[in-house]
Amino acid sequence: MGFTQPLLAQRALTGTVHDAQGAAVPFAVVELPARHLGVQANQDGYFSLPLPTDLIPADSLVVSALGFQRRRLIPATAAARLQLQALPVALTGVTVHAAATPPQWLGPEEDTDRFGFSQNGLSLEKNTGWQIARYFQPTATGYLTGARFFVKADGAGNCDKSLLKTPFRVRVYTADGPNGGPGTDLLTTSVLASATKAGWVTVDLRPYNLAFPAQGVFVAMEWVYTSDQFLCSYQYTQLLTKDKKTGTRYGQSLGGRLTTQTQTWYYTIVYGWRKFQSRNQTGQLRIGDAAIQAQYMP
């Protein structure tokens, strides 16, 4: 499958992603896998994908979204209305037992370093996807009942207040991906959260009945573009030249700590999941570990 000739001369493919009932599919991914190009739709399903000038008929478009079947197709017009089919959901009974021990939080106790993760270039036109995930594996079987994310100010001057309040999406994966990384989606419902101030943001995951697989889980923060109101310009000074510059930021900063052994992975649409690695082969150079916690119920 490939693109028809009218599309080859266009500079971008724009459109929306919908489900079978016509409702917008938020934050769907639209990509050209062979070209390592892709964008994430906004919460209204709108996307704009820049197209390479040397696009050929052999190239195909892939559309995917949380809770929907992946689709490969041939777009034929400049404005595309793409439809996805929902994945079948198997409903199972839930039995609630009194826990012998209270739920416990796994992961870093607090944000201890002046270190963090952020998505600097996010905008409606440049929405290429960014996730930070941390791995957890309890010593016994149980359920994932909550998650925490340390949201912090990032020193962007007048932008800090709006950046802190930017919504993000919570993702949960089984550790069954390549090289033991994030793989199967466990949380197939789109769950958004946001902070009111710097510090831990707690998300209740009890309604989703998420069991801890034997191989453990990854809990991730996903940066998503939801509204222009969270896009902010700020002033900064270049270190070398001392020139005054204007920067643009979108989205919160996720806190972290520096360590020699990280449990943190990162994701982009272009390259997929990768684990943060020390550049020093001895492992002595400290690298970032995300300030994410998981609540475990035995």
Side-chain angles (χ1 to χ4, degrees):
M1 293 183 177
F3 294 105
T4 59
Q5 185 61 34
L7 187 62
L8 299 181
Q10 296 163 19
R11 306 179 70 177
L13 176 69
T14 61
T16 53
V17 184
H18 297 266
D19 63 15
Q21 287 70 46
V25 175
F27 316 123
V29 173
V30 182
E31 58 184 321
L32 296 165
R35 300 305 187 102
H36 298 289
L37 293 174
V39 294
Q40 187 178 55
N42 66 9
Q43 64 180 355
D44 298 318
Y46 171 82
F47 69 91
S48 179
L49 174 63
L51 298 176
T53 57
D54 60 343
L55 200 65
I56 61 175
D59 291 319
S60 59
L61 190 76
V62 172
V63 186
S64 59
L66 186 65
F68 291 86
Q69 296 178 13
R70 187 180 182 91
R71 184 181 178 191
R72 186 181 297 270
L73 72 164
I74 308 173
T77 61
R81 182 179 173 89
L82 308 178
Q83 185 180 99
L84 295 179
Q85 296 294 325
L87 289 170
V89 178
L91 299 178
T92 57
V94 178
T95 303
V96 179
H97 300 281
T101 57
Q104 55 184 294
W105 286 99
L106 309 175
E109 292 297 325
E110 59 185 11
D111 178 51
T112 58
D113 294 306
R114 295 183 62 185
F115 177 84
F117 305 88
S118 61
Q119 165 60 285
N120 292 330
L122 192 64
S123 68
L124 184 59
E125 294 76 23
K126 188 181 179 182
N127 193 3
T128 55
W130 176 249
Q131 295 183 52
I132 296 291
R134 195 179 189 283
Y135 176 68
F136 302 93
Q137 186 175 32
T139 57
T141 59
Y143 290 87
L144 176 66
T145 53
R148 283 178 180 164
F149 305 84
F150 195 95
V151 175
K152 59 188 293 185
D154 204 30
N158 62 296
C159 290
D160 272 345
K161 288 185 178 180
S162 62
L163 295 178
L164 281 172
K165 298 178 181 179
T166 307
F168 60 90
R169 187 158 66 164
V170 180
R171 303 293 296 265
V172 180
Y173 303 93
T174 303
D176 59 357
N179 302 312
T184 304
D185 282 305
L186 287 179
L187 183 60
T188 56
T189 300
S190 187
V191 177
L192 294 181
S194 60
T196 56
K197 60 181 180 179
W200 289 105
V201 176
T202 302
V203 181
D204 184 7
L205 297 178
R206 289 174 298 177
Y208 308 105
N209 191 34
L210 302 176
F212 256 105
Q215 63 266 56
V217 302
F218 284 89
V219 177
M221 171 185 280
E222 181 179 17
W223 279 256
V224 291
Y225 196 93
T226 57
S227 171
D228 288 345
Q229 73 180 88
F230 301 109
L231 188 65
C232 186
S233 296
Y234 67 100
Q235 301 293 321
Y236 68 96
T237 302
Q238 283 190 325
L239 293 178
L240 295 179
T241 64
K242 305 301 181 183
D243 292 337
K244 299 291 185 179
K245 297 289 184 179
T246 298
T248 302
R249 289 291 305 275
Y250 185 96
Q252 65 291 322
S253 178
L254 173 64
R257 61 173 60 192
L258 294 173
T259 177
T260 57
Q261 297 293 327
T262 186
Q263 297 294 331
T264 300
W265 291 58
Y266 66 99
Y267 171 86
T268 63
I269 292 174
V270 175
Y271 296 109
W273 282 106
R274 295 185 175 185
K275 187 175 182 180
F276 280 100
Q277 299 287 348
S278 171
R279 297 179 182 177
N280 186 330
Q281 293 183 354
T282 67
Q284 297 305 306
L285 182 63
R286 297 195 300 168
I287 51 180
D289 195 27
I292 298 176
Q293 295 182 344
Q295 189 183 53
Y296 161 70
M297 174 74 76

